[in-house]
Amino acid sequence: MIEILTGSSLNTIQDFGRPHAMAMGVAQGGAMDRLALSHGNLLLDNPVDAAGIEIVFFPFRVRFHAETSFAATGAACPATLDDLKLPRDWAITARPGQTLTLRAPEQGARAYLTLRGGLDMPPVLGARSTDLKGGFGGLEGRALQKGDRLSCLAASTLRLPAAGYGLTRPCPLPPADGTRIRVLPAAEHDVFTPESLQTFHSAAWTLTPSANRMGYRLEGQNVLKLSRPLSLFSHGILPGTVQVPPAGQPIIQMMDANTCGGYPKIATVIAPDLRLLSQTVVGTPVHFETITRDDAVQIIRREAAELSRLATEIATLRTQLVF
Amino acid sequence: MTRIHMAGAGGLLLDAADGPFSDTTQRRIWATSRALNPRPDVLQTIPGVNNLLVTFDAVQTDPSVMEELLRTVWTQASAEEVPSREIVVPVVYGGEFGEDLALVARFANLTEEETIDAHMASRYSVAAIGAMAGFVYLTGLDPRLAIPRRDSPRLRVEEGAVVIGGGHAGMMPCTSPSGWHILGRTDLCLFDAFRPEPGLLRLGDTVRFVRAS
């Protein structure tokens, strides 16, 4: 059992979301940085998609009411368990009464708290993720508030060294001077003017404060224009889609995005780079780079292979830990 | 001319739109969706208005193979009828619940009353479900009311708002950003994640709007 000590309208319970409910119009949802959630779960010998807490509002404090193994991953936040400083991407077992504090990130924007066994919430439409827009999933379909108590699904401890253990290569975070995002051309790419396509690729776009789990609005000095007017029928859109409304400034659809839309689409961010974008801080420059579909498939397959290699490494390492 | 576009590495958007909305094309879209859904290599299909988004796991499946499959299934799909129910939606039009009624009336060169009558006169069909949970894209809107969507979406449109945009009619199942224009408000519950069938409406259903008493 853990108790949330700091409320916010933005910290939510997330797993891998509801990719099979999109046909009902339900957002895919799930962790914005799925790799960070996966790393936390792997450190705890959980299924990679076990539900954890996505933290975007700091400081975040939680008290453990029972002995609990947990991991803090994702954004580089100064983390302390009572007075003990924890390294990045670290798992450790807390004693009853101890408090974990995560302070504002030095790099990145989202931290994940995962717990041994995963959070025990009733799945709704196949997932434990909070759908804030729909008001279901997670804890009563809402963000976590001060005083909320959450329990885990399985035995709450794992045999770990007293000082804990962690990853030697934490998940990459975007550098403060700019995030490079790789994209594939989308349906209306070729209808944008040559100057607009040039601008899209060469400009430094700035991430505006209108950046949440639904979408990230970008702002640039020059707007993107179509070479002819388009009136599109509404169509399915996926997280990562870069829409361009008539105002000409791009909006990138994130995990809680609407499942259908009607604005022209210039590009789609590849999945591994969408997590980098989710870790990008407001005001940071964002650069787009178009790659081929073959390259994108290779990148996605390499990332999947790396994750399964990491899972094996961590499982092997755990058997060799010295207690 | 049907086009298949990339929607990232694990998505394909089949766009069969050719001029105005086509009922026949829409029935073929639904048939393609039904044919693909049982396949283990298809994650999901999301029918849009005269288009279909198909998603798959690009780690397991080559996009070019999926593209070929989609093209084949679409070519063979027939425009069969699907069972339809009629759902009547009571609406409070205008005033504080329909802040864009005057704007839409001006666009259509009608009075506000004529605009309401035009909205109520059509029999609509649920062409697609999406955007947000339980939102339906209704075809059949009087062409005079085919006002384009707002240039920049509103950040907050209330649950129950009865809206039009881009040649379609719809209703907001939850409070959310939207670029559509607001004509009124209904208190029907359009989506409840805890109902056995969460969405009130199904693809192909017929919808009529009436004035709430």
Side-chain angles (χ1 to χ4, degrees):
Chain A
M1 169 88 78
I2 62 167
E3 180 184 348
I4 307 294
L5 302 180
T6 47
S8 127
S9 57
L10 298 170
N11 296 337
T12 54
I13 294 170
Q14 297 295 340
D15 55 12
F16 277 8
R18 303 180 172 83
H20 296 285
M22 283 182 77
M24 271 189 259
V26 173
Q28 180 170 325
M32 293 270 272
D33 185 347
R34 195 186 266 223
L35 190 65
L37 180 74
S38 302
H39 282 179
N41 280 323
L42 288 179
L43 284 169
L44 297 168
D45 200 24
N46 287 343
V48 281
D49 61 348
I53 303 176
E54 179 173 280
I55 302 150
V56 286
F57 188 84
F58 301 90
F60 172 81
R61 289 190 303 132
V62 62
R63 181 174 296 135
F64 298 91
H65 287 289
E67 193 173 72
T68 308
S69 301
F70 71 90
T73 54
C77 306
T80 49
L81 181 62
D82 284 348
D83 295 328
L84 179 68
K85 282 187 185 162
L86 304 180
R88 269 188 71 190
D89 288 5
W90 202 253
I92 189 168
T93 300
R95 293 186 307 275
Q98 285 195 301
T99 298
L100 170 71
T101 304
L102 299 179
R103 294 181 206 288
E106 287 159 355
Q107 197 186 358
R110 289 162 201 280
Y112 291 85
L113 173 64
T114 42
L115 300 130
R116 168 68 173 157
L119 288 170
D120 182 14
M121 296 292 145
V124 181
L125 301 176
R128 295 185 169 85
S129 277
T130 313
D131 187 320
L132 287 176
K133 188 173 47 160
F136 56 82
L139 187 64
E140 300 163 4
R142 60 168 173 81
L144 294 174
Q145 297 305 330
K146 185 176 177 188
D148 283 342
R149 287 171 179 245
L150 308 170
S151 31
C152 296
L153 271 169
S156 60
T157 57
L158 184 69
R159 210 164 124 74
L160 293 178
Y165 81 133
L167 301 177
T168 49
R169 282 169 294 132
C171 325
L173 294 172
D177 60 350
T179 305
R180 191 186 62 128
I181 299 291
R182 290 164 296 186
V183 299
L184 293 180
E188 287 73 50
H189 177 274
D190 296 347
V191 189
F192 285 87
T193 63
E195 300 75 39
S196 292
L197 290 176
Q198 172 74 25
T199 300
F200 179 68
H201 290 107
S202 60
W205 297 93
T206 305
L207 181 59
T208 72
S210 285
N212 56 35
R213 290 186 45 87
M214 288 188 67
Y216 278 22
R217 287 186 189 223
L218 304 180
E219 205 170 68
Q221 298 213 318
N222 296 305
V223 298
L224 303 175
K225 290 182 188 143
L226 295 167
S227 56
R228 57 186 163 87
L230 272 183
S231 183
L232 297 172
F233 287 139
S234 288
H235 49 266
I237 46 175
L238 295 170
T241 304
V242 186
Q243 286 186 327
V244 183
Q249 304 279 6
I251 302 177
I252 304 179
Q253 304 301 306
M254 301 302 280
M255 300 316 283
D256 284 354
N258 287 350
T259 61
C260 287
Y263 291 123
K265 306 164 291 302
I266 194 168
T268 312
V269 178
I270 66 168
D273 288 3
L274 198 58
R275 68 156 287 273
L276 272 186
L277 190 69
S278 82
Q279 291 287 8
T280 300
V281 176
V282 169
T284 306
V286 172
H287 298 271
F288 292 106
E289 180 195 342
T290 297
I291 60 172
T292 66
R293 182 160 72 181
D294 285 348
D295 287 342
V297 169
Q298 267 192 21
I299 292 164
I300 289 165
R301 289 181 179 171
R302 197 160 55 226
E303 184 170 280
E306 274 169 21
L307 191 65
S308 65
R309 194 161 50 239
L310 182 67
T312 313
E313 267 177 43
I314 293 176
T316 311
L317 172 72
R318 208 180 293 111
T319 64
Q320 298 162 354
L321 288 172
V322 179
F323 294 95
Chain B
M1 174 58 197
T2 302
R3 302 152 304 268
I4 297 182
H5 300 288
M6 285 189 276
L12 292 167
L13 178 66
L14 179 141
D15 185 358
D18 186 12
F21 171 77
S22 155
D23 260 321
T24 310
T25 301
Q26 195 60 25
R27 286 199 294 272
R28 283 184 68 198
I29 291 285
W30 295 335
T32 306
S33 162
R34 283 195 302 273
L36 290 172
N37 277 337
R39 293 184 59 98
D41 52 352
V42 170
L43 278 179
Q44 59 182 339
T45 63
I46 301 158
V49 180
N50 282 184
N51 57 60
L52 181 69
L53 175 67
V54 178
T55 70
F56 54 96
D57 182 359
V59 174
Q60 311 285 341
T61 305
D62 279 318
S64 53
V65 172
M66 186 55 69
E67 194 170 330
E68 200 46 50
L69 171 74
L70 174 58
R71 202 179 294 281
T72 307
V73 173
W74 164 254
T75 308
Q76 294 166 355
S78 69
E80 60 194 288
E81 295 279 349
V82 289
S84 169
R85 307 172 300 170
E86 184 181 271
I87 312 283
V88 176
V89 178
V91 182
V92 177
Y93 284 100
E96 60 171 318
F97 293 141
E99 51 186 298
D100 296 326
L101 181 59
L103 174 87
V104 173
R106 267 201 308 282
F107 170 84
N109 205 14
L110 296 172
T111 66
E112 294 190 12
E113 280 307 304
E114 289 166 341
T115 305
I116 294 169
D117 288 342
H119 184 254
M120 289 195 299
S122 296
R123 284 169 63 83
Y124 300 87
S125 166
V126 177
I129 299 174
M132 59 214 94
F135 184 85
V136 291
Y137 289 88
L138 299 172
T139 53
L141 182 69
D142 186 319
R144 291 174 298 171
L145 304 186
I147 184 169
R149 282 175 284 252
R150 290 166 56 89
D151 281 355
S152 192
R154 274 197 184 93
L155 293 175
R156 185 181 167 90
V157 175
E158 296 294 323
E159 175 177 347
V162 172
V163 291
I164 57 173
H168 302 299
M171 298 161 270
M172 297 292 289
C174 61
T175 299
S176 159
S178 171
W180 293 35
H181 302 273
I182 308 166
L183 296 182
R185 174 88 57 95
T186 179
D187 57 7
L188 278 190
C189 176
L190 299 163
F191 186 87
D192 177 353
F194 300 97
R195 283 196 298 229
E197 187 175 339
L200 178 71
L201 294 156
R202 297 179 196 153
L203 290 176
D205 280 350
T206 300
V207 170
R208 278 194 308 119
F209 293 102
V210 297
R211 239 181 246 275
S213 48

